[in-house]
Amino acid sequence: MFANYTFENPEFFWLFLLLLPATAWYFWKRKQQTPELRMSSVKGFKVKQSLLSKLKPILFVLRLLALALLIVAMARPRTVDVTTQSSNIRGIDIVMAIDVSASMLARDFEPNRLESVKEVGAEFIENRPTDRIGLVLFAGESFTKTPITSDKGIALRAIEEIEYSDVLQNGTAIGSGLATSVNRLKDSDAESKVIILLTDGVNNSGFIDPKTASELAVEFDIKTYTIGVGSNGNALTPVNILANGKFQYGVQKVEIDEALLQQIAADTGGKYFRATDNETLEEIYEEIDSLEKSEIEEFRYYNYTEKFRPYALLALGLLLFEVILRYTLFRGFI
């Protein structure tokens, strides 16, 4: 209730310290003004203090409360409503190019490479609320899953829907995946354009040479971060599709063309990473997130509503009530 309460002049709260000596002075003075009659014995007398006499200190309490409310009023309490408006000064357009070949179902990640990439990729998208993000998928060929968009709901649904499909030609067309991503970004008017290309194999398919695609990225000033996915050594990898549509798995050597991925990253001003498990993949995306920061201009508008009037009016009411009691009900006790 009072979370957005502020005080313009909080220094007036020091006046509360004066209420302590005022209270002490009142009780000292009251004791001094109380008449005393010394008697050797009160036997035979019925001595009983009247109720009004007992209630007389309420006049001082009312005055004390009134002064406390006036102090609060002088401190100028008010509520503040803050409205924030943000705009991108330096926006970033990002295309995530993801390998969806059968080898991405290898189980050296939990539960497999593709599902791990989807989970970490979705988290990366959620952490980029001010950027536009698109999605390109590639295997033996490539296609645009979703163009660059500022609608994070669309991007998140697109990455959630990624799955292996034998509709795409088998193989890994790194050059095609990179070229399609460049095509998505070449007409962008963003200050910064970035591709995150993720694969677990070597370029063995497609009609576009990775070097040519890399040169296109350089021409359009598009930075490329490349990620090689796969544990060191061997991995349980799909080797054959059975009649029921399921995969037969076998242990195969993990082969990633790291030299090619390093060259693409170096030529375009990006960086190469190697993800060997779920944890390192998360760390890679966190590092990319820290390297590519959007510059946001934020405007804050403060709307203040003064709240001192109720305190002042209540203090005035208490003082008036105290005066009325003093000169009516307690008149004979003053």
Side-chain angles (χ1 to χ4, degrees), residues 84-90 130 294-300:
T84 302
Q85 182 179 344
S86 301
S87 61
N88 265 10
I89 300 176
R90 181 176 175 271
T130 60
S294 299
E295 292 182 13
I296 307 300
E297 188 172 45
E298 185 175 85
F299 298 93
R300 288 192 176 186

Side-chain angles (χ1 to χ4, degrees), residues 153-301:
I154 292 176
L156 288 169
R157 281 194 298 273
I159 202 167
E160 184 180 347
E161 293 169 358
I162 296 176
E163 59 184 15
Y164 169 77
S165 173
D166 56 7
V167 173
L168 287 178
Q169 181 184 343
N170 195 24
T172 304
I174 295 175
S176 297
L178 180 56
T180 302
S181 302
V182 170
N183 191 48
R184 291 290 90 194
L185 288 169
K186 65 184 179 63
D187 296 323
S188 168
D189 57 359
E191 289 290 330
S192 183
K193 292 171 282 190
V194 171
I195 294 172
I196 302 173
L197 188 144
L198 184 146
T199 183
D200 67 344
V202 297
N203 185 72
N204 56 18
S205 186
F207 299 100
I208 301 177
D209 183 68
K211 181 173 175 54
T212 302
S214 180
E215 290 171 352
L216 286 172
V218 173
E219 182 180 346
F220 291 105
D221 194 24
I222 301 172
K223 186 186 299 182
T224 304
Y225 292 99
T226 55
I227 304 174
V229 181
S231 57
N232 294 311
N234 299 317
L236 197 60
T237 307
V239 294
N240 189 27
I241 301 180
L242 303 176
N244 58 7
K246 294 185 178 180
F247 285 97
Q248 178 183 356
Y249 281 80
V251 176
Q252 288 192 340
K253 181 176 176 58
V254 176
E255 289 186 299
I256 300 174
D257 193 344
E258 292 194 275
L260 172 62
L261 298 178
Q262 289 170 348
Q263 190 62 52
I264 292 172
D267 290 345
T268 61
K271 189 174 179 180
Y272 169 71
F273 302 92
R274 177 68 183 270
T276 56
D277 52 37
N278 296 54
E279 289 71 26
T280 54
L281 183 60
E282 290 180 7
E283 291 170 3
I284 288 166
Y285 271 99
E286 287 173 3
E287 183 171 348
I288 295 174
D289 184 54
S290 65
L291 289 171
E292 295 295 333
K293 286 295 185 184
S294 299
E295 292 182 13
I296 307 300
E297 188 172 45
E298 185 175 85
F299 298 93
R300 288 192 176 186
Y301 302 93

